[in-house]
Amino acid sequence: MRVLGIETSCDETSAAVVDETGDAARPWLMRSNVIASQVPIHREWGGVVPELASRQHIRDICRVVERALDEAGATWGDLGAVAVTQGPGLVGSLLVGVSFAKAAAAAAALPLVAVHHLAGHIESLVLENGELPLPAVVLVVSGGHTSLYLVERAGHYQRLSRTRDDAAGEAYDKVAKLLGLGYPGGPVIDRLARDGNDRAVTLPTTRLTHADRNAPTLKGDLDFSFSGLKTAVLRYVRLREKEKGAVLLFAESEIADICASFQRVVVRALIDRTFAAARRHHARSIGIAGGVSANSRLREELKRHGDLREMPTFLPSLPLSTDNAAMIAAAGLRKFRAGMIADLDLNADAALPL
Ligand code: KG4
Ligand code: ZN
């Protein structure tokens, strides 16, 4: 069976066609994955502007879907289902994808499958690597989320922890903004950090030991926190500006040092908690997915720590690490095979839980 996936939760309009292979170990094959990025539109404003995002999704959705079908050599008649991101995300953006998917499913008499965006990120690992050795611990780390999940059975995701404040990608974006490096911040900081000294600036690592009153079911000690780190960078920058008597007149090397020092602390927090969760839950594999999984240092450290502990580790390729519809089609196939079909009165849910 082939599935059309649609993803519009934030600032990428994406459509993809994914086929089933019939091989239980490597269940899916990506036939196309078209992404219309809105980054140039939002860059001017230093971040995603929700209203501009939803308007651009409306402009792009039809041609993106047509191109995804075209590149896959598929017609509406070849499809077995339409899968769409129901949430979480920006509600105006989500509504474009959900409305399009409902209309398409109704018109082509196809079943509709509602997908959680983070389930999509997790299944991006399976799409490219085949089924993970279970139980697996998966870190989903992006601009909107930093959460650890335990996957004991395929398609079942148990949340182990989350960030108490900013997501890691959000911290990257905010630190880049305060250093005047533009949007999105992750790729720029990643690149500049390569030439910096990661011990040049002393920055705090947050370790939480107390339970979160807002999520009493979670133990709390595997939670993340990045807002203090962002504030520490801000204070360092302001202090240096005062010393210099000038605003943002840093030498390139000093910017590189700040980026490298910030990145070292973020990556360490992500790797430490992920491996701690894997130990606690006797995981047989570890995955990292979501936009920040494109980070070069995070990728290196995951591999290094995995090799050291003889733990298989998995990452998506770079095109599948940021938002895309192929992962939504894959997660949709998983749900479809589990008999989970959505009704045509499906609504977008900006705060959909997983
Ligand atoms: O998954 P994604 O495309 O969208 C969300 O669901 O949020 O992730 C986007 C986030 C942005 O915050 C961006 O700065 C970050 O991923 N990102 C990176 C890198 N590439 C993208 N962060 C660190 N290093 C990178 N190389
Ligand atoms: Zn995402």
Side-chain angles (χ1 to χ4, degrees), residues 117 121 142 323 327:
H117 182 77
H121 276 301
S142 68
D323 290 347
M327 68 185 195

Side-chain angles (χ1 to χ4, degrees), residues 9-74:
S9 67
C10 190
D11 61 343
E12 328 272 3
T13 316
S14 182
V17 175
V18 171
D19 285 358
E20 277 181 313
T21 60
D23 174 359
R26 264 195 114 81
W28 311 309
L29 187 66
M30 185 171 83
R31 291 291 183 191
S32 65
N33 186 35
V34 177
I35 303 170
S37 170
Q38 301 179 3
V39 163
I41 295 167
H42 301 293
R43 185 172 283 139
E44 200 181 325
W45 307 96
V48 178
V49 183
E51 187 55 33
L52 293 182
S54 40
R55 287 177 195 209
Q56 193 59 34
H57 283 306
I58 292 173
R59 287 187 200 104
D60 286 340
I61 186 88
C62 290
R63 69 182 178 93
V64 166
V65 170
E66 276 165 12
R67 215 170 118 192
L69 290 172
D70 213 39
E71 285 185 11

Side-chain angles (χ1 to χ4, degrees), residues 107-125:
L110 291 168
L112 179 69
V113 186
V115 173
H116 192 286
H117 182 77
L118 299 190
H121 276 301
I122 294 171
E123 299 300 351
S124 73
L125 296 168

